[in-house]
Amino acid sequence: MINFDEELEKFQPSLEVEQAEDVINNNDLTDVTDILKEFLKGNKDNN
Amino acid sequence: MICPNCGSNMSDKRKRCERCSTDITIYKKVLRTSNLYYNNALTKAKVRDLSGAIVALQKSLDLNKLNTSSRNLLGLIYYELGETVAALSEWVISKHFQPVNNDADEYISKVQSNLTKLDSLNQAIKKYNLALGLAKQGSDDLAIIHLKKVVTLNVNFIRAYQLLSLLLIKTGDAARAKKYLQKVIKIDVSNTTTLRYLKELEIASTTKDLDGNPEAEPIGGISNTIVPISSYREDKPNVMAFVSLVIGIVIGLAFMAFLIIPTIKNNSSNSNDSSDYTDSGYSLAQIQEMNNTNTALQKDKTDLEKQLSDLQKQIDTAPAPEDNSQIYDSLINATELYFVEKDKAASEQDFMPIADLLSGVDDTKLKLDSAVTLLNQLREATYPSVASLHYDNGHDLYGSGKYDEALVELMKAATLDPTNVDALYFTARAYHKLGDNENAVKYYNMVITDFPDSSRVHDSKDYLKQVQK
């Protein structure tokens, strides 16, 4: 059976157009390649 | 390919950078994996497994944020699911990483070019947020109303459909909830939330059926498609049809007997009796002629009525003829009185009533010359003595200081006997005494002008000077 209150809590407000700028600015864009670069840079410094 | 360590260009086939000797095997593997996820997502998106595609694209971007294709596709999928802001965000970030030769340009410009559509989508988002707040506060009915509006503004807004379906399930309207969920399934076939709600609805339906609820219908409405086959029965002759036919014939015959046949007979007799039969063309000509005559007569009638009206106006506005009999009556009465008074002794004669009657007669209205002559004769006979009487009365009243009363008598005397200069003089004096200088001057001048030889002229001139000072 569906627990309506639990289901309702899963729904989050949708982003409005006025909030788009904040979303873009605060987006965490770190990816694996960034980590790899850091790793490679660390190795080079150690050598 | 660009070396992640030194940023120099290098061949895709090499495992190490020629410039900085960095081993880029893992780096290349990460990029390949990112592309692999992109390909996987594209395959899923083509069969509308959008939820699965989103997961794959997010993994692709977690590995390589510079994978523009992945980011653009992710934006497109978000847009398809009604998440406009998320879509725009992905395309803007994509453009940031790859400013030129990027499909995101086209997507952004397409969305921004239709401001009405963009405003409508934003309104849908705001209403969805409002509805979500209402639903969390327990106002399910209001939330449902708002969400119905949301799905009309943005027909692909998956989250709105899901929330609406959830609230409808809660309020017991499973049929509508299912309808909305099926719409969602057409947009995104693998959305786990949608599938879970649909499964719940199916379970609930099956449970009802097992409980023996006759109103419960199995999914798919199979009961509607199965029709029980009735046993074969040979058609019996329909007696009622025959009876109806007989009744119809009887009604038709009655209609002919009572309505049609008498009319035909009547027309026939009329045509036989008419000796002055004329063809329709001639009748029309006659009618036309009669109409013309009628029009002419109407016009004549209007003209005559107008003439009558004008004449009536002339009669109304014409001066009423004088009552000649009244004029002559006065003259006759005056004559009778004159003869009565003439027979009396001189001391007893009173011509004053006669003078009054005569003064009321207008000379100009007398048509008969004899009447005019009679009038003049009577005036000559009566006016001097009456004028003298009026003068005497006026003079006495003037002497006693009754100037107003004196004026009446003196004026009568002057009127009846215009040669009586004394009457004029004392009229002027009476006006002078009363302070009516204007009339006093008038009468003094009359004395001076009309009777220059009179003894009253000298005094009149003196008094005139006094008045004019």
Side-chain angles (χ1 to χ4, degrees), chain A residues 1-2 4 7-8 10-18 20 23-24 27 29 31-34 36-37 40 44, chain B residues 4-5 27 61-65 83 85 93 97 122 125-126 128-129 132 135-136 159 163 166 170 196-197 200:
Chain A
M1 275 299 283
I2 293 173
F4 290 104
E7 288 296 326
L8 208 55
K10 289 177 187 173
F11 284 93
Q12 296 300 315
S14 186
L15 293 169
E16 296 176 17
V17 174
E18 293 83 3
V23 174
I24 294 163
N27 205 336
L29 292 171
D31 63 351
V32 175
T33 58
D34 291 328
L36 201 58
K37 282 173 192 173
L40 291 170
K44 193 177 178 182
Chain B
N5 188 36
Y27 180 71
L61 290 169
D62 283 343
L63 291 168
N64 179 17
K65 65 183 175 187
E83 303 288 345
V85 177
I93 293 165
F97 288 129
N122 198 31
I125 292 165
K126 285 180 178 176
Y128 166 78
N129 291 338
L132 182 61
K136 285 183 177 176
R159 277 203 279 175
L163 182 58
L166 179 68
K170 191 180 174 184
R196 195 153 46 84
Y197 290 168
E200 286 291 337

Side-chain angles (χ1 to χ4, degrees), chain B residues 25 38 114:
Chain B
T25 311
Y38 166 73
N114 192 345

